[in-house]
Amino acid sequence: MDHDAMDLAEARYELVISVDARRSGEYDDVDKQRMRERIYRVLEAAFTHAKVARDAVHMEDRGDGVLLSVAGRIAVTRLLGLWMVEVHENLRDENRGLSVPLGLRVGMHVGPVRHDGRGISGRAVDLACRLADSPLARRLLDAERADLVLVTSQSLYEDVVSSGGKFIEPAHFSSARLELKEGEVTAWFHLPGRPAPEIPTAAPAASDADRADDVDGVDDARDARDVSDTRGADDAGGVDDARRVDDGEDRADAPRAHYTVHGDMSQHSDNVYQQPVHIGRITGDAGRRKG
């Protein structure tokens, strides 16, 4: 029996780790090589300090990151706990004195992995890579000005993280729903050394009706801000003219009007003037006061 052939055909349950560098496309050729060297120093030193044998780790270069799988004989808690602590501390050491600090996104998932002569494959590999590369992981890393963000799958959180352990704090993880190519999944986000991150909410997309209201490339958000500024300047004592009545009380049945104005507009109602009043803008020579 060809044991090697059988071994290649069989899937092994392993921890898959995808490591990506932040904004790798902004590095030039020289800096990219230094970036890659830093990533490997960070990861390999962490394996050494966490006492994870090198023969238990499969490592593939991805240009701007590294894809790893760790044999099932190594406790996953060691990777989620001590190894992640070491990665974070090593990364902080590497970033000292750098004008552009290296940022890493790490995705983790446990599942069946197949090995062949060229590397590893399987849905577990795909998911770990998707988690690390998710837009939310990118946003968190930037919004929090962090060195490192860890993203775990729902099953990894439920099976391992939720039970806690040495250097594993379930309360420091926050969940979010992600839309991936394979469908919607729940992921858990963690910024080492910090409390549970606040998950940013995406700004609502403009509807077709909103886009149709825009004129000459000016969006409604700016229009609304401009209208608000104008209203604040016209109101006396902070009272809205549209709701002001003679007796000082709001009128419940007052009509509401909506205007779209391109140019100047003045609206006046229920006013009593005690002397001659000019309403409107004077332009040209007529508006110049003679000496």
Side-chain angles (χ1 to χ4, degrees):
M1 180 182 295
D2 188 344
H3 293 283
D4 290 338
M6 182 181 67
D7 193 44
L8 289 173
E10 290 180 346
R12 316 170 193 170
Y13 267 77
E14 297 182 342
L15 174 67
V16 182
I17 306 172
S18 175
V19 181
D20 280 342
R22 169 173 49 197
R23 294 197 181 95
S24 60
E26 296 180 8
Y27 290 87
D28 61 26
D29 289 348
V30 174
D31 286 336
K32 183 163 289 188
Q33 182 177 357
R34 292 170 180 162
M35 173 201 75
R36 285 161 48 80
E37 291 169 356
R38 292 188 185 103
I39 293 175
Y40 278 97
R41 278 199 301 268
V42 165
L43 300 180
E44 290 171 351
F47 282 122
T48 298
H49 286 100
K51 293 182 170 56
V52 177
R54 296 302 175 89
D55 64 356
V57 180
H58 168 82
M59 190 178 292
E60 290 181 28
D61 184 77
R62 290 299 178 98
D64 59 352
V66 184
L67 177 62
L68 310 105
S69 66
V70 182
R73 71 176 187 269
I74 306 298
V76 175
T77 51
R78 195 185 307 176
L79 278 302
L80 278 166
L82 180 57
W83 185 77
M84 281 303 306
V85 169
E86 291 293 338
V87 168
H88 183 223
E89 291 303 318
N90 295 339
L91 183 57
R92 291 177 63 192
D93 286 341
E94 288 286 344
N95 282 336
R96 283 192 176 94
L98 292 181
S99 57
V100 181
L102 173 62
L104 296 180
R105 304 185 309 274
V106 179
M108 283 192 185
H109 176 57
V110 171
V113 176
R114 284 183 164 81
H115 293 251
D116 58 31
R118 296 177 179 84
I120 58 175
S121 63
R123 292 183 180 179
V125 176
D126 295 342
L127 180 55
C129 293
R130 299 271 193 266
L131 295 177
D133 195 44
S134 63
L136 184 50
R138 295 170 181 270
R139 289 177 62 191
L140 268 180
L141 201 61
D142 288 338
E144 299 293 334
R145 296 182 179 179
D147 299 302
L148 177 67
V149 60
L150 168 65
V151 193
T152 73
S153 63
Q154 171 78 354
S155 60
L156 182 56
Y157 180 87
E158 290 177 347
D159 295 343
V160 182
V161 177
S162 63
S163 300
K166 193 173 183 179
F167 304 117
I168 301 175
E169 296 286 348
H172 291 182
F173 286 71
S174 297
S175 65
R177 296 291 288 172
L178 301 180
E179 274 291 345
L180 306 181
K181 291 181 180 179
E182 296 79 5
E184 195 175 67
V185 301
T186 296
W188 290 82
F189 295 81
H190 172 56
L191 300 171
R194 304 192 187 192
E198 265 190 51
I199 302 299
T201 55
S207 65
D208 291 339
D210 291 338
R211 284 189 290 271
D213 288 341
D214 294 344
V215 178
D216 296 332
V218 180
D219 59 33
D220 290 335
R222 193 171 69 189
D223 292 344
R225 185 173 64 251
D226 293 343
V227 170
S228 175
D229 293 342
T230 304
R231 183 182 298 132
D234 289 344
D235 292 344
V239 181
D240 189 344
D241 285 340
R243 301 184 64 189
R244 186 188 296 124
V245 294
D246 292 341
D247 58 5
E249 296 180 357
D250 290 348
R251 190 167 56 199
D253 60 348
R256 297 289 185 265
H258 176 76
Y259 302 93
T260 299
V261 179
H262 303 284
D264 299 322
M265 183 188 81
S266 295
Q267 179 185 2
H268 306 270
S269 60
D270 300 326
N271 295 308
V272 177
Y273 303 100
Q274 304 299 330
Q275 58 185 355
V277 174
H278 172 81
I279 298 175
R281 184 169 68 175
I282 300 175
T283 60
D285 293 338
R288 298 175 184 169
R289 185 175 296 175
K290 295 181 179 179

